[in-house]
Amino acid sequence: YSSLSQLSKEALQLALVQCSATFAIAAMKAGSPENVSQEALCDLAQLAITQGSTDLAIVVFPTMELTQKHFLVLAEQFLQLAIDQSCDELLHLVCQAGLLHTSSKKIKDQ
C-alpha cells in the first residue's frame, strides 16, 4: 500500500514537471487525495489554471484545505476558468464551496 501512495506521489510530481493536467488527474484518482500535500495541491491548482483544465480543477479543488485569503484568490481564478471554459460543474463546485466557506466563517465569528 505504501508503495502505491509513493508511486502516486511520484506520478503527481511528474505530472507537474510535464505540465500535464491529464496525467495529474489520473495520478489523483489512482492515489488517495488525502495523502497529497497541500503544497502539491496548490501546484496542481495552478497547473489547472495555466492549462485551462476544468477537469483537474474539479478533482483538486474539493481536496484543498484553504485559508480564507487563499480560498478567495483560488475561487476567483477557478470561477474565471469555469466561465472561460463554460464548465457548469466547476462553477457549481466553487459557488457551493464559497457558501460553505462563508457560512462556516459566520459560525466561527459568533
Side-chain angles (χ1 to χ4, degrees):
Y1 171 74
S2 64
S3 61
L4 181 64
S5 73
Q6 185 56 40
L7 197 62
S8 65
K9 275 185 190 146
E10 285 168 20
L12 278 176
Q13 280 309 114
L14 185 59
L16 289 167
V17 171
Q18 298 291 325
C19 290
S20 168
T22 312
F23 199 47
I25 294 164
M28 283 286 288
K29 287 183 175 171
S32 355
E34 62 273 8
N35 291 339
V36 180
S37 72
Q38 289 300 311
E39 298 96 276
L41 288 171
C42 286
D43 291 343
L44 288 168
Q46 282 311 121
L47 179 66
I49 291 157
T50 55
Q51 297 291 311
S53 172
T54 53
D55 290 341
L56 180 56
I58 288 164
V59 172
V60 171
F61 193 61
T63 61
M64 299 184 82
E65 293 163 16
L66 298 160
T67 62
Q68 192 72 22
K69 193 178 91 177
H70 277 124
F71 174 79
L72 292 171
V73 171
L74 193 64
E76 194 177 333
Q77 290 176 312
F78 275 1
L79 278 176
Q80 194 56 57
L81 177 64
I83 292 161
D84 292 346
Q85 304 286 337
S86 303
C87 180
D88 290 344
E89 191 181 350
L90 182 58
L91 203 57
H92 181 72
L93 195 66
V94 174
C95 291
Q96 206 173 19
L99 290 171
L100 289 173
H101 234 269
T102 50
S103 62
S104 67
K105 188 179 180 334
K106 279 184 193 134
I107 293 162
K108 282 181 199 152
D109 290 347
Q110 285 170 1

